[in-house]
């Protein structure tokens, strides 16, 4: 299994509070991604990174920011959480940035 | 833009039954097509892929053929097992070399197999 660790695994927070989710990899892969999974929508790309300090927006980036200060860590921040951001968040990594993504086990986030 | 549409679920089958999960896509050119599987409590895993028209991807008894004329990539298995119970996602990456691995997913199909 690819070495991907997401933390926390579960979090409950209140509307308006900031939240940071962490993805840590031990594979030294260049590409990292944050997806959210919602019923009826499958997985949707929030942000991705193609190198240290190189990030770009995905399909549903509003309300989210990311940072990647070193190869192994990719942080997703909700500046002011809203109930619509209640979801399961998955981090993924890719070596070549082409076809095969490896996914973490997910973070269940509930915003009350 | 690109999109992927999967058949509505959930799908419930008995062990050893034949499985088909339909997937159609909208994209320009020749995207790469994938099936990912998500077992309970886990992240997604790549099941199979096809990168050009008429290619057949296969793995663990599952197969899917890239049909450009019908823009489809249906997943099939001849005899399902209880251990195949999972959520199955069809996905694509755009044609060309600058997709950065960004996948567009379908909504997922829940498969439950009973003994």
């Amino acid at each position: 299994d690819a070495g991907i660790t997401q933390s926390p695994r579960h979090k409950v927070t209140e509307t308006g509070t900031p939240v940071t989710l962490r993805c840590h990899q031990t594979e030294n892969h260049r590409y990292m991604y944050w997806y959210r999974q919602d019923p009826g929508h499958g997985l949707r790309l929030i942000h991705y990174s193609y190198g240290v300090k190189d990030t770009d927006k995905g399909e549903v980036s509003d309300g989210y920011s990311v940072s990647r200060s070193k190869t192994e860590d990719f942080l997703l921040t909700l500046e002011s959480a809203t109930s619509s951001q209640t979801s399961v968040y998955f981090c993924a990594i890719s070596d070549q940035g082409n076809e095969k993504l490896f996914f973490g086990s997910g973070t269940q986030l509930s915003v009350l | 833009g690109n999109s992927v549409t999967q058949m509505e679920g959930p799908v419930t089958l008995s062990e050893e039954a034949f499985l088909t999960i339909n997937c159609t896509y909208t994209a320009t050119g020749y995207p790469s097509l994938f099936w990912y599987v998500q077992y309970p409590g886990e992240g997604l895993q790549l099941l199979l892929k096809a990168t050009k028209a008429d290619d057949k991807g296969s793995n663990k008894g599952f197969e899917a053929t890239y049909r450009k004329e019908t823009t489809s990539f249906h997943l099939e298995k001849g005899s399902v097992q209880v251990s195949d119970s999972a959520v199955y996602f069809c996905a694509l990456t755009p044609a060309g070399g600058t997709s950065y691995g960004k996948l567009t997913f379908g909504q997922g199909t829940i498969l439950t197999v009973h003994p």
Side-chain angles (χ1 to χ4, degrees):
Chain A
D1 290 343
I4 307 171
T5 304
Q6 290 186 232
S7 58
R9 291 297 310 276
H10 301 88
K11 186 170 182 66
V12 180
T13 191
E14 294 184 348
T15 299
T17 59
V19 176
T20 295
L21 308 183
R22 180 183 184 232
C23 178
H24 178 79
Q25 60 143 330
T26 58
E27 305 297 322
N28 200 36
H29 284 356
R30 177 181 175 188
Y31 299 88
M32 298 185 75
Y33 314 82
W34 277 107
Y35 284 87
R36 60 178 288 174
Q37 182 179 23
D38 303 290
H41 291 279
L43 278 78
R44 293 178 290 175
L45 181 65
I46 305 171
H47 281 279
Y48 66 100
S49 169
Y50 46 96
V52 174
K53 299 192 188 305
D54 292 322
T55 66
D56 204 351
K57 297 178 180 180
E59 177 187 357
V60 290
S61 59
D62 287 348
Y64 302 94
S65 62
V66 290
S67 65
R68 191 167 177 203
S69 59
K70 45 188 177 178
T71 299
E72 57 266 36
D73 289 327
F74 193 34
L75 304 181
L76 176 71
T77 297
L78 291 65
E79 302 290 348
S80 177
T82 67
S83 58
S84 64
Q85 293 175 312
T86 292
S87 186
V88 180
Y89 291 85
F90 284 98
C91 173
I93 64 174
S94 172
D95 187 21
Q96 302 294 325
N98 49 12
E99 302 172 351
K100 186 170 185 177
L101 269 60
F102 298 92
F103 283 81
S105 299
T107 294
Q108 173 70 60
L109 176 67
S110 298
V111 183
L112 306 179
Chain B
N2 300 324
S3 67
V4 177
T5 302
Q6 292 180 231
M7 65 183 289
E8 293 290 329
V11 175
T12 302
L13 296 173
S14 297
E15 206 164 25
E16 299 184 1
F18 184 85
L19 169 70
T20 299
I21 301 177
N22 290 338
C23 171
T24 58
Y25 68 89
T26 300
T28 56
Y30 289 82
S32 294
L33 302 175
F34 308 86
W35 278 100
Y36 276 80
V37 58
Q38 183 181 29
Y39 298 104
E42 299 182 7
L44 281 70
Q45 305 173 24
L46 178 63
L47 180 59
L48 53 85
K49 67 180 183 183
T51 58
K52 59 182 186 291
D54 300 324
D55 265 3
K56 177 183 286 188
S58 61
N59 186 26
K60 299 181 180 180
F62 292 89
E63 293 183 341
T65 301
Y66 190 144
R67 300 290 188 197
K68 178 65 174 175
E69 63 276 15
T70 55
T71 62
S72 65
F73 193 55
H74 304 322
L75 182 68
E76 297 181 336
K77 186 176 186 182
S79 176
V80 294
Q81 305 300 312
V82 172
S83 57
D84 294 326
S85 298
V87 184
Y88 292 82
F89 293 91
C90 186
L92 68 79
T93 56
T98 59
S99 69
Y100 296 119
K102 294 180 291 181
L103 290 165
T104 297
F105 285 91
Q107 65 268 44
T109 301
I110 300 171
L111 171 66
T112 303
V113 180
H114 293 296

